[in-house]
Amino acid sequence: MGKVSKDALDAINKKTGKKISEGAVKKLASTVKPSTMQSEAELRKLIKQVSAMAKVPVSESTVNEIVGAVKKSGMNPNNMEALMKMMIKK
């Protein structure tokens, strides 16, 4: 994964009120494979990992919305930034 944009990190940190490092985002992103975005179970696990990293609780209904949006959008599995942006809008 390339560099996480400063805008994305700033938005995440501002929204969560927490300081999340680029390294932490990259480490988590490195575990994402194309199959992760295709498997609902894997996608749910990833959402919970991001939620835990950001220390922001995500309701089951929000998890369902994110899973649905990712599946419908056919999101590029290499675009972790887009997934994180989607989560912080909730």
Side-chain angles (χ1 to χ4, degrees):
M1 176 178 176
K3 185 166 176 24
V4 177
S5 82
K6 183 166 176 10
D7 290 345
L9 278 176
D10 288 347
I12 293 163
N13 290 330
K14 182 178 179 185
K15 177 79 173 184
T16 63
K18 315 283 190 302
K19 182 71 176 143
I20 300 170
S21 72
E22 181 178 348
V25 174
K26 281 185 172 183
K27 183 177 178 186
L28 181 60
S30 71
T31 68
V32 179
K33 299 169 185 59
S35 59
T36 303
M37 297 307 211
Q38 304 305 315
S39 163
E40 188 168 326
E42 288 294 310
L43 193 52
R44 288 179 179 279
K45 188 169 119 182
L46 174 63
I47 292 165
K48 291 186 186 320
Q49 288 174 314
V50 172
S51 171
M53 179 177 70
K55 296 179 180 70
V56 175
V58 178
S59 71
E60 194 58 36
S61 64
T62 299
V63 170
N64 291 337
E65 283 180 44
I66 294 168
V67 167
V70 168
K71 286 186 157 196
K72 190 164 62 172
S73 73
M75 186 181 291
N76 180 336
N78 296 321
N79 195 349
M80 182 66 137
E81 188 174 315
L83 178 62
M84 295 180 81
K85 283 181 179 177
M86 185 184 304
M87 288 182 69
I88 63 174
K89 286 180 186 172
K90 298 291 172 196

